[in-house]
Amino acid sequence: MKIKTMTLLIFAFTIFSCSDDDGERRSEPVSGSNLIAMPIPDGGNPINSPIEITQLMKIKDPSKVTVVVNLDHTFCGDLVVELVAPNGTATALVKRLGVASSGGFGSAANFSSANALSFNSKNETGIVFEGLVTSDVIAAGDYAPTGGGQDVVPQMAVVQPLEQFLANKDVSGQWKLRVQDHGNADIGTLVGWRLEFAAGALKE
C-alpha cells in the first residue's frame, strides 16, 4: 500500500502601514493662526494673542513645529515675545535685542510686519541686529530664539532652545503669543502670528 504525503506550506504576510520607524502613526499637518492686530502698550503690560489647537496629541518631533510672527515696532530692543504653551509654561522667542544688562536700551532697529520672523528648532542663527540703526529694519528670515540673558528685565522671560521647550508637550488647548514692551515712547503692533505642526510633528 502506498502512503501519500502532503506538504503544508505556511506563508506569512507582513502588512505595512503609514507609520514612523517606532510604530507611531504619522500625524497630518495641523496649524492655526491669529490675524487680529493688537497694539502693544508701553510699560511692560503684556498682550496675549491666542490660538486654539484641538488635537489630543503630543509633540513628537520639535523640528517640525514652526512659529511665524509679524510685528510692527520702532525700537526692537524694547520687545519681549514669548510662546506660551497650553500648560502655562513659556519660552522667549525675542527678548530685548541688544540689551546686555538690566539697564540697557538695546537695538534701535525696527520690526516690520512685512518681514515675517520664523522660529524653528532647526534654525541655528539668531536675529541679526548688530550694526543696525534707527532707520534699519530687521530682515525677514528663519531664526533661533534671540535675546538678552537671565539678568535682563523681565527675568522670567527665558531664551532657550525650542527643541527643549517643545519636546513631548501636549498640544491640545490654547497656545498664546505674549508680547511686552519694556521701553518708553516707541510703540508698535502685533499684526499676527501662526503656529504650524508639519506632518509627523505629533503623536498620539
Side-chain angles (χ1 to χ4, degrees), residues 100-171:
S101 64
S102 58
F105 293 104
S107 173
N110 305 318
F111 286 119
S112 169
S113 63
N115 294 353
L117 310 176
S118 180
F119 299 92
N120 184 289
S121 65
K122 294 183 296 186
N123 301 338
E124 298 180 354
T125 304
I127 297 171
V128 178
F129 58 86
E130 293 87 350
L132 301 183
V133 296
T134 305
S135 59
D136 292 327
V137 176
I138 299 294
D142 300 324
Y143 296 112
T146 312
Q150 186 70 46
D151 61 332
V152 174
V153 175
Q155 294 180 341
M156 292 297 290
V158 179
V159 178
Q160 62 181 304
L162 271 176
E163 181 175 7
Q164 175 183 320
F165 176 74
L166 292 172
N168 211 41
K169 267 199 167 47
D170 290 312
V171 299

Side-chain angles (χ1 to χ4, degrees), residues 63-136:
S63 72
K64 295 178 179 178
V65 181
T66 303
V67 184
V68 182
V69 181
N70 293 85
L71 294 164
D72 266 326
H73 200 278
T74 53
F75 202 102
C76 67
D78 288 354
L79 289 191
V80 178
V81 180
E82 295 175 278
L83 177 66
V84 184
N87 66 357
T89 58
T91 191
L93 304 175
V94 178
K95 184 178 180 181
R96 308 199 64 193
L97 300 181
V99 177
S101 64
S102 58
F105 293 104
S107 173
N110 305 318
F111 286 119
S112 169
S113 63
N115 294 353
L117 310 176
S118 180
F119 299 92
N120 184 289
S121 65
K122 294 183 296 186
N123 301 338
E124 298 180 354
T125 304
I127 297 171
V128 178
F129 58 86
E130 293 87 350
L132 301 183
V133 296
T134 305
S135 59
D136 292 327

